[in-house]
């Protein structure tokens, strides 16, 4: 003892005490979670926090802002925590207090002015214009995107267990080791496989057996034949965070494979050619920044491909000799009109190569004999504004599906290859039937069409010997009986095959691949997409409904719900999906993922609004240009109908749309924020005027034929009246989740970023406003099939949170 009451400890004992103190601090959940905020807590609060952490509620105390920020909200949360621990309040009330503590990002405002069209003095202020960075490298921008994404995950942290549950459910419905229906092409069956636990496809083939007969619906791949792996996407994708395959084309002699890969999500593809037997790269250097679109000439050494301009417009076609230097590739076509996109194709009979150029309303096609790759490309029908056509080759003639102002729903012509100006109408235009596509084989023409929004197909016999037809018989209809469904052509095999492959699905029917023998009428189901987890279509009911728009137009909807689970008294949550642009048909299909909502009591509905193509070409025309607002009022009419008929109520009505469908969501949220509980806006096109006035942004020029040209005062004022960013108001908005991809070439990430920043500054309630920007993806989210499920799980968890169903 040294001095009064003082003891000198041995070094080992002292070290043990110090270590114990440090260990206690490290194991103190209060200090670990709250750090400097721990000083706000009383002894009773410390006990409450420890109790809730042990009970699985640690998220309540995470992500608090620094001391001095929202301290009063923190104190209120601690009071709620004590009440929750004593079972005096609900988990919902505790969560409301937690969300008040979290600090949402505030985007810096920088003054910027955007002038109106020439001849006007209009000026728009855009304080968030600085968020646009074409190089995607600005640290201030990236920091803001990270902060928003982090805030999104923080807010949804109480749903992490639900997200994991949803992910397991959705993945559990997938037959992970699966195979596509093989396609008979020459001496092989081609198909792809997915593997247990792997994210990407494996592309394969097997030889036809020696004694195989002519193609028929009863064809079956002989699995005793050795499998050849053409491309294992899993092996290629292992080197990248993002991986997507574009064109995948075997050479005519089936010895080489051309394929293109996107490794960032920006839709710029690197072209490869490999020898299938040796797996050796055949190009001296892979050809970078292509459009991913390729076509082989019949000499098995000439390959045509497409490149993009600086605004991502496919505009040039090149001829490459495999084994040669890409720098010596010859330019065979250059599209000068910046509103036209270029696409390459090869006819099903492998005799013709074609260059198709098209905008939203005009097209033109050139052709070349696939046997003469050095030959001259010839125009089939000359370019005429507002005339679109598509061609199929057979023998000495082309079938032409053509649309113009007098034939808005299209008709089918036949024209001689030697003189395409000598046209003859085979299937005339009808005002109530919209022709959508054609399939041509040696002995049959199949026309896919829509009548009152529902799809069907008609099969016509063609003359023997590839003779050009001068008229067609009545044709045989291919129809299905469900109230709402999707029908379309699948991957067709050999040109001389009598088999038509079709794809069929509905809101309750899994995607089915069906082979129909056009000679005998016999059908064979080649594949039904497995939906595991006990799915039975009899448990669900699907129907077709009609709402009345403000101008009296009848607007169709497709709807599905689980029988015996919903009440149909206005109390059911409902998710209404919409798109309504580009004449795209928002057709019904069975989604295994969506069952995770429907099995939790959600009704799901599709609004087939104007601007889409479901009801014919005029349906599209009535939802574009200076009629664009019909898209939004149609959607609102559908929502009002569903509320009126007690399928749901505003407190339970959720909506979703992606890309141009995100525009629809933004517009209706501004027009009727009172009508909805929650909205998901995926990669939304929301800054319409700014984007459409800036021709340095990809897609702007060609999109003027969809939205109009705001450099003209009439279009400027009309677009400004609905553009979501320009119409945000000080109002109570629903709960909103917005997503974006940093490398998106179609909708710049800055559009949703600006929308959220401005809305956060203007909305007058405390409903959720979340923004998640994926810094490693583009327009189509993650590339891996399981990674995409995680994104979907987060979105569904958001909806369930908004409906107070996190723990149901």
């Amino acid at each position: 003892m040294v001095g009064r009451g003082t003891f000198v400890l041995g070094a080992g004992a002292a070290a043990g005490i110090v270590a114990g103190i440090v260990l206690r601090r490290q194991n103190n959940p209060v200090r670990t979670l709250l750090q400097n905020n721990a000083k706000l807590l009383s002894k009773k609060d410390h006990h409450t926090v420890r109790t809730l952490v042990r009970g699985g509620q640690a998220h309540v105390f995470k992500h608090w802002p620094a001391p001095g920020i929202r301290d009063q909200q923190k104190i209120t949360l601690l009071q709620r925590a004590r009440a929750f621990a004593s079972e005096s309040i609900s988990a919902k009330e505790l969560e409301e207090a937690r969300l008040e503590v979290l600090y949402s990002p505030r985007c810096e405002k920088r003054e910027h002015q955007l002038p109106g069209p020439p001849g006007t003095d209009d000026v728009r202020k855009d304080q968030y214009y600085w968020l646009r960075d074409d190089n995607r490298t600005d640290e201030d921008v990236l920091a803001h995107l990270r902060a928003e994404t982090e805030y999104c995950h923080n807010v949804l942290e109480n749903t992490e267990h639900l997200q994991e549950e949803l992910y397991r459910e959705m993945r559990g419905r997938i037959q992970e080791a699966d195979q596509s229906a093989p396609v008979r092409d020459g001496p092989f069956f081609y198909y792809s496989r997915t593997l247990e636990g792997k994210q990407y496809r494996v592309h394969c083939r097997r030889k036809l057996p020696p004694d195989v007969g002519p193609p028929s619906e009863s064809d079956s791949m002989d699995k005793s034949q050795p499998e050849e792996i053409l491309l294992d996407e899993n092996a290629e994708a292992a080197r990248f965070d993002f991986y997507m395959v574009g064109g995948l084309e075997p050479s005519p002699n089936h010895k080489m494979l051309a394929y293109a890969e996107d490794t960032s999500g920006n839709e710029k593809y690197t072209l490869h050619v490999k020898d299938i037997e040796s797996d050796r790269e055949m190009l001296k250097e892979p050809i970078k920044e292509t459009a991913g679109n390729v076509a082989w000439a019949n000499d098995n050494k000439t390959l045509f491909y497409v490149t993009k301009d600086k605004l991502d417009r496919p505009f040039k076609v090149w001829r490459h000799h495999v084994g040669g230097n890409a720098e010596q590739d010859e330019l065979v076509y250059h599209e000068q009109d910046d509103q036209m996109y270029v696409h390459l194709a090869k006819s099903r009979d492998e005799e013709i190569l074609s260059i198709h150029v098209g905008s939203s309303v005009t097209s033109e096609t050139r052709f070349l004999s696939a046997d003469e790759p050095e030959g001259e490309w010839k125009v089939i029908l000359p370019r005429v504004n507002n005339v679109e056509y598509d061609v199929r080759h057979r023998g000495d003639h082309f079938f032409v599906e053509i649309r113009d102002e007098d034939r808005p729903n299209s008709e089918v012509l036949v024209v001689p290859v030697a003189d395409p100006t000598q046209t003859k109408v085979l299937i005339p235009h009808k005002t109530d039937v919209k022709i959508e596509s054609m399939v041509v084989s040696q002995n049959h023409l199949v026309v896919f069409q829509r009548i009152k929004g529902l799809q069907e197909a008609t099969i016509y016999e063609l003359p023997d010997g590839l003779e050009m037809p001068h008229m067609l018989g009545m044709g045989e209809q291919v129809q299905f009986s469900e109230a709402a469904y999707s029908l379309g052509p699948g991957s067709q095999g050999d040109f001389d095959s009598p088999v038509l492959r079709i794809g069929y699905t509905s809101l309750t029917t899994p995607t089915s691949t069906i082979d129909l023998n056009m000679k005998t009428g016999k059908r064979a189901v080649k594949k039904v997409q497995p939906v595991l987890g006990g799915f039975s279509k009899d448990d669900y009911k699907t129907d077709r409904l009609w709402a009345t728009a403000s101008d009296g137009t009848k607007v169709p909807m497709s709807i599905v719900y689980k029988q015996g689970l919903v009440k149909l008294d206005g109390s059911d949550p409902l998710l209404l999906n919409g798109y309504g642009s580009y004449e795209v048909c928002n057709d019904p299909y069975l989604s295994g993922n969506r069952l995770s909502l429907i099995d939790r009591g959600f009704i799901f509905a599709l609004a087939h609004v104007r601007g889409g193509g479901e009801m014919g070409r005029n349906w599209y025309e009535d939802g574009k240009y200076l009629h664009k607002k019909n898209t939004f009022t149609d959607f609102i009419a559908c929502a009002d109908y569903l509320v009126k008929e007690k399928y749901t109520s505003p407190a339970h009505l959720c909506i979703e749309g992606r890309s141009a469908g995100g525009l629809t969501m933004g517009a209706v949220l501004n027009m009727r924020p009172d009508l909805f509980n929650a909205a998901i806006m995926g990669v939304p096109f929301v800054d319409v005027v700014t984007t459409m006035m800036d021709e340095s942004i990809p897609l702007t020029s060609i999109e003027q034929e969809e939205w109009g040209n705001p450099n003209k005062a009439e279009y400027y004022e009309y677009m400004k009246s609905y553009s979501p960013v320009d119409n945000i108001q000080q109002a109570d908005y629903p709960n909103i989740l917005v997503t974006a991809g940093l490398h998106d070439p179609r909708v710049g990430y800055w559009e949703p970023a600006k929308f959220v920043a401005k809305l956060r500054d203007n909305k007058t309630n405390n409903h959720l406003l979340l923004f998640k920007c994926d810094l490693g993806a583009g327009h189509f989210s993650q590339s891996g099939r399981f990674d995409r499920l995680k994104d979907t799980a987060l979105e569904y968890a958001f909806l369930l949170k908004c409906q107070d169903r996190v723990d149901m």
Side-chain angles (χ1 to χ4, degrees), residues 720-761:
K720 193 173 72 166
S721 72
Y722 70 75
S723 175
V725 163
D726 294 292
N727 288 276
I728 290 172
Q729 55 190 305
Q730 290 194 334
D732 288 354
Y733 277 81
N735 302 288
I736 301 173
L737 170 63
V738 183
T739 67
L742 181 65
H743 300 288
D744 190 339
R746 301 180 184 226
V747 178
Y749 71 85
W750 53 85
E751 291 199 36
K754 289 162 63 173
F755 178 82
V756 170
K758 188 173 181 180
L759 183 56
R760 204 183 290 288
D761 200 43

Side-chain angles (χ1 to χ4, degrees), residues 337-341 357-363 383-388 403 581-583 617 620-621 623-626 628 692 699-710 712 715 719:
D337 188 337
D338 62 6
Q339 291 190 325
M340 292 284 185
Y341 277 33
V357 296
S359 68
S360 295
V361 298
T362 305
S363 70
R383 188 178 312 188
V384 177
N385 187 51
N386 202 22
V387 177
E388 294 178 281
R403 180 212 62 80
S581 294
Y582 305 111
E583 205 177 357
R617 178 73 182 192
Y620 165 58
E621 298 282 357
K624 65 180 295 191
Y625 288 147
L626 300 176
K628 187 63 207 171
M692 293 307 301
L699 300 182
T700 291
S701 293
I702 191 172
E703 294 283 294
Q704 289 178 356
E705 291 187 341
E706 178 72 21
W707 315 103
N709 185 352
K712 299 177 180 179
Y715 283 100
M719 293 163 74

Side-chain angles (χ1 to χ4, degrees), residues 582-603:
Y582 305 111
E583 205 177 357
V584 170
C585 299
N586 195 20
D587 288 321
Y589 68 96
L590 176 66
S591 164
N593 295 342
R594 197 186 296 138
L595 293 175
S596 286
L597 282 182
I598 296 174
D599 288 352
R600 284 175 170 80
F602 266 77
I603 298 170

Side-chain angles (χ1 to χ4, degrees), residues 364-659:
E364 181 181 65
T365 299
R366 286 166 168 77
F367 74 96
L368 175 73
S369 169
D371 293 327
E372 301 175 6
E374 307 284 335
E376 178 187 358
W377 294 84
K378 298 178 181 179
V379 173
I380 296 179
L381 296 177
R383 188 178 312 188
V384 177
N385 187 51
N386 202 22
V387 177
E388 294 178 281
Y389 67 92
D390 194 18
V391 300
R392 299 290 184 271
H393 179 258
R394 174 183 180 266
D396 62 356
H397 52 279
F398 292 111
F399 293 98
V400 180
E401 175 200 336
I402 189 167
R403 180 212 62 80
D404 59 22
E405 292 181 355
D406 295 328
R407 299 167 287 188
N409 284 335
S410 301
E411 65 183 19
V412 176
L413 314 176
V414 63
V415 305
V417 171
D419 185 4
T421 62
Q422 300 299 310
T423 64
K424 181 176 181 58
V425 176
L426 282 182
I427 303 176
H429 174 265
K430 295 180 181 179
T431 57
D432 60 343
V433 179
K434 177 190 176 184
I435 295 174
E436 291 194 311
S437 64
M438 301 180 295
V439 172
V440 174
S441 63
Q442 182 170 289
N443 295 308
H444 296 89
L445 166 68
V446 184
V447 177
F448 288 82
Q449 55 208 18
R450 284 179 188 265
I451 301 176
K452 294 183 179 179
L454 291 180
Q455 297 159 290
E456 62 178 43
T458 304
I459 301 172
Y460 300 95
E461 287 192 16
L462 296 175
D464 293 335
L466 299 178
E467 180 183 336
M468 188 172 92
H470 296 284
M471 61 184 302
L472 297 173
M474 291 296 294
E476 182 176 342
Q477 305 295 317
V478 180
Q479 295 177 309
F480 292 86
S481 60
E482 289 188 271
Y485 58 85
S486 297
L487 172 69
S491 297
Q492 307 302 319
D494 294 327
F495 183 70
D496 63 354
S497 172
V499 175
L500 171 69
R501 174 159 290 184
I502 56 178
Y504 177 85
T505 184
S506 75
L507 289 170
T508 60
T509 304
T511 300
S512 303
T513 302
I514 302 168
D515 281 355
L516 169 63
N517 192 311
M518 295 181 284
K519 283 186 176 180
T520 66
K522 292 181 179 179
R523 297 187 186 188
V525 177
K526 310 306 286 189
K527 181 176 178 60
V528 176
Q529 188 63 42
V531 181
L532 307 183
F535 169 77
S536 170
K537 68 172 297 179
D538 295 336
D539 294 339
Y540 302 87
K541 179 175 176 58
T542 184
D543 206 350
R544 194 165 178 84
L545 308 175
W546 296 83
T548 303
S550 54
D551 62 358
T553 300
K554 298 294 184 181
V555 183
M557 287 181 284
S558 302
I559 192 168
V560 64
Y561 54 85
K562 190 167 187 178
Q563 300 186 94
L565 189 58
V566 299
K567 300 176 181 177
L568 301 180
D569 62 357
S571 65
D572 299 307
L574 185 148
L575 178 59
L576 177 63
N577 177 284
Y579 190 75
S581 294
Y582 305 111
E583 205 177 357
V584 170
C585 299
N586 195 20
D587 288 321
Y589 68 96
L590 176 66
S591 164
N593 295 342
R594 197 186 296 138
L595 293 175
S596 286
L597 282 182
I598 296 174
D599 288 352
R600 284 175 170 80
F602 266 77
I603 298 170
F604 177 76
L606 291 166
H608 305 294
V609 297
R610 280 175 283 184
E614 292 91 337
M615 300 291 288
R617 178 73 182 192
N618 289 333
W619 192 255
Y620 165 58
E621 298 282 357
D622 284 345
K624 65 180 295 191
Y625 288 147
L626 300 176
H627 303 290
K628 187 63 207 171
K629 289 184 184 178
N630 285 337
T631 301
F632 317 137
T633 53
D634 282 2
F635 190 88
I636 289 171
C638 290
D640 278 331
Y641 176 90
L642 293 167
V643 170
K644 178 183 176 182
E645 297 299 319
K646 295 189 180 300
Y647 285 95
T648 190
S649 66
H652 301 293
L653 177 54
C654 307
I655 59 177
E656 68 168 352
R658 284 182 54 85
S659 195

Side-chain angles (χ1 to χ4, degrees), residues 271-273 281-287 303 320-324:
L271 176 61
H272 298 266
V273 177
E281 175 73 61
M282 301 298 290
L283 299 182
K284 287 187 176 181
E285 291 288 341
I287 302 172
L303 188 67
H320 175 80
H321 296 287
V322 175

Side-chain angles (χ1 to χ4, degrees), residues 94-165:
L94 178 64
E95 177 63 11
E96 289 173 349
R98 181 183 80 90
L99 295 178
E100 288 296 317
V101 170
L102 299 182
Y103 190 71
S104 60
R106 286 295 187 266
C107 186
E108 179 187 349
K109 296 179 180 180
R110 301 179 188 177
E111 294 303 318
H112 186 84
Q113 293 187 335
L114 296 167
T120 70
D121 56 3
D122 189 72
V123 175
R124 291 177 302 127
K125 293 183 179 180
D126 188 347
Q127 295 173 316
Y128 305 109
Y129 187 86
W130 68 271
L131 286 170
R132 175 183 171 184
D133 172 29
D134 291 351
N135 295 323
R136 276 78 169 170
T137 57
D138 186 290
E139 282 303 322
D140 288 345
V141 172
L142 294 174
H144 177 71
L145 298 178
R146 291 189 187 102
E148 283 282 9
T149 303
E150 181 181 7
Y151 174 69
C152 174
H153 288 292
N154 292 348
V155 168
L156 296 178
E157 188 155 345
N158 74 311
T159 71
E160 284 186 350
H161 68 286
L162 175 60
Q163 291 181 48
E164 180 60 29
E165 181 181 333

